[in-house]
Amino acid sequence: MTDVVMVMDIDDDENQNHLSKLNKGKNVVVEASAPSPDTRATPWVEKYRPQSLADVAAHRDIVDTIDRLTSEKRLPHLLLYGPPGTGKTSTILAMARKLYGAQFHNMILELNASDDRGIDVVRQQIQDFASTQSFSFGAKLSVKLVLLDEADAMTKDAQFALRRVIEKYTKNTRFALICNHVNKIIPALQSRCTRFRFAPLDPIHVADRLKHVIESEGLDVPASGLAAVVRLSNGDMRKALNILQSTHMASQQITEEAVYLCTGNPLPIDIEQISYWLLNEPFAESFKRISEMRTKKGLALVDIIREVTMFVFKIKIPSNVRVQLINDMADIEYRLSFSCNDKLQLGSLISSFTQARSALVAAAK
């Protein structure tokens, strides 16, 4: 059968290379239908990665737009950005499976830019792959796809070189850039791509996907345990699946307590107790009790501060007192990120609540 060259939209290329050249570069994508030697050992983040665009948990407006562009053969260069675990890579891989079918592993070059971030990668692997002509085995295949994950880790020189490659080979290759921080992508690259922002997933979408995994794995997860996993994931599906799998490995039943113990996060009841001490006990007594709890349960001060911050959002106090407390705790968390002394920062936390308590007493009078 004669090979048919298919292009996107009005692109018009000449036959100039052989199909065998498509395998140049670092091609790490595995065919979807390839059997796994032992699915029990497969991380759930990969085992339950969406295989089609319909399986993507959220961001239906973005997914539907990309699906339509793919179906109409009008796919532009893409720039997907947002926090980790929000479906960026899964969306692109699902799109590639739809676009290329069983042959997609021959038509996609996947690179992690945090590992391969220099200009040599752009000039060698990417340019070699992009310079070969796109072929079709029937009506399924189209232009090739270069997937650059963590593109914000690329050097500025590499990004400028990539801009030239995109311009030169846009007729037969599409580029999909994925990153967490779009401000680290040079404007010249941003202007050549259609941008889509992936926000943190809504809790309901995370819970729905987790229920599917729980049913498939036959897990014993009460409602409180599921709620704990969803809460600790903070809209990160990858984190949610990792928490679920690690807790399952450590405990027969995935209860709320098991989830918190497995992740090392303070239990809600512990945060309520700590908050009570901060709001009611004298400085010395509060310092002593919180220190003892930290030692006994192995709690990190930064985790306590994050959970207490969420607690402050819930309690009924004057807005000016709430804002001051939140700002103070943000400053403490920032200092802890530079390995400041935990005891000093715990003292600062208690002092902030002592001042807030004085403000509340004054307001009550």
Side-chain angles (χ1 to χ4, degrees), residues 93 109 158 234 269:
L93 292 178
L109 174 69
N234 291 319
I269 190 172

Side-chain angles (χ1 to χ4, degrees), residues 13 32 42 58 67 80 82 91 94 100 114 119 123 144 151 175 194 199 232 249 252 275 297 345:
D13 269 323
T42 304
D67 191 12
L80 277 55
T91 297
Y100 303 124
S114 63
I119 193 170
R123 288 177 173 170
K144 295 173 299 179
F175 291 80
T194 299
L232 293 176
M249 295 170 66
Q252 193 76 17
S275 299
K297 299 198 172 185
Q345 301 313 312

Side-chain angles (χ1 to χ4, degrees), residues 319-365:
S319 59
N320 61 318
V321 177
R322 178 183 286 108
V323 169
Q324 185 61 52
L325 273 175
I326 291 172
N327 288 338
D328 288 345
M329 286 188 285
D331 290 339
I332 296 170
E333 187 175 347
Y334 177 76
R335 292 195 293 269
L336 286 171
S337 68
F338 289 95
S339 301
C340 290
N341 185 279
D342 275 18
K343 291 184 178 180
L344 290 176
Q345 301 313 312
L346 176 56
S348 180
L349 173 66
I350 299 171
S351 296
S352 296
F353 273 85
T354 301
Q355 293 174 5
R357 190 164 58 197
S358 300
L360 290 173
V361 172
K365 294 180 179 179

